[in-house]
Amino acid sequence: MKKINYLNLFFIGILLGFPSCDHKNEMIYHSLPIEKEYDALKYVFDRNEISEEELKEMPNLKLVINSESEFPQEDLIGLAELKESGIDFKKYTMLLVYYKVQGVVESYTYNYAKDFENDIIIFSITYNSESDSGVKDETVDLFTYCRSAILVSKISENSEVEFRLSY
């Protein structure tokens, strides 16, 4: 009988301990839909064969575009195509990235999400390059200049957007 009472007290103690655990079943990140993915433009260059002036013509940019007037004024690769695509900026926002990535980019992956804990929107791009170490040795002086763009539902002017690039 004493064993049963001790077991009952033990189980009651365990059951009382469960509610005190701080379990947050909140979703911190939530993937958001991408309305349109534009094909990435990728150009491979050899650092030894390009001038400093040419490098300056390939800036690293991360842009949130809510109107046609917010497009860059520079003559960047593939920008004319985007400007002429007839985007309805009353309904959509374009997230646009120009970036120099070390090596030869073979593919890319986009992710668009909301971080509820920090109240920010995140646009992540993962650039994938050659994985063979022999190929990497041959391409050590090469870099890829990439243009990446997505169209998403309208983002308000006061929203913070974070760009995360990995390669």
Side-chain angles (χ1 to χ4, degrees):
M1 194 68 145
K2 283 186 178 182
K3 285 184 181 180
I4 293 174
N5 286 337
Y6 286 125
L7 281 174
N8 284 337
L9 284 175
F10 175 74
F11 286 122
I12 290 172
I14 288 176
L15 290 174
L16 290 174
F18 280 127
S20 68
C21 293
D22 188 19
H23 291 291
K24 290 186 178 179
N25 281 337
E26 298 174 17
M27 187 182 318
I28 295 174
Y29 289 96
H30 178 69
S31 291
L32 299 172
I34 297 173
E35 298 295 327
K36 180 175 182 175
E37 285 187 18
Y38 293 87
D39 289 334
L41 293 182
K42 305 175 287 185
Y43 295 94
V44 178
F45 297 93
D46 187 329
R47 286 205 184 270
N48 299 321
E49 298 176 5
I50 194 165
S51 70
E52 287 298 317
E53 284 183 18
E54 290 170 313
L55 271 175
K56 287 180 184 176
E57 293 174 2
M58 294 182 264
N60 289 333
L61 300 172
K62 301 170 186 171
L63 304 167
V64 177
I65 300 175
N66 274 315
S67 70
E68 286 186 32
S69 65
E70 294 179 4
F71 277 110
Q73 298 303 311
E74 298 94 341
D75 185 25
L76 301 168
I77 60 171
L79 189 59
E81 167 199 348
L82 296 176
K83 286 181 177 181
E84 296 168 0
S85 63
I87 299 166
D88 181 357
F89 284 108
K90 291 177 183 168
K91 291 172 50 176
Y92 301 110
T93 297
M94 176 176 281
L95 300 177
L96 177 61
V97 175
Y98 284 91
Y99 204 74
K100 292 183 279 287
V101 179
Q102 180 67 35
V104 178
V105 173
E106 295 293 319
S107 62
Y108 57 92
T109 306
Y110 297 145
N111 188 27
Y112 178 60
K114 171 81 176 190
D115 176 345
F116 288 102
E117 185 175 9
N118 297 307
D119 194 30
I120 59 173
I121 294 170
I122 301 168
F123 177 34
S124 302
I125 307 171
T126 303
Y127 298 106
N128 303 304
S129 59
E130 293 281 344
S131 58
D132 182 11
S133 61
V135 172
K136 282 187 178 181
D137 291 341
E138 295 172 12
T139 63
V140 71
D141 293 329
L142 300 180
F143 71 91
T144 306
Y145 190 55
C146 300
R147 183 218 64 193
S148 302
I150 62 172
L151 202 62
V152 298
S153 294
K154 188 71 171 182
I155 299 173
S156 68
E157 297 286 333
N158 59 354
S159 293
E160 182 181 349
V161 177
E162 181 178 308
F163 293 83
R164 295 182 182 173
L165 309 178
S166 62
Y167 44 94

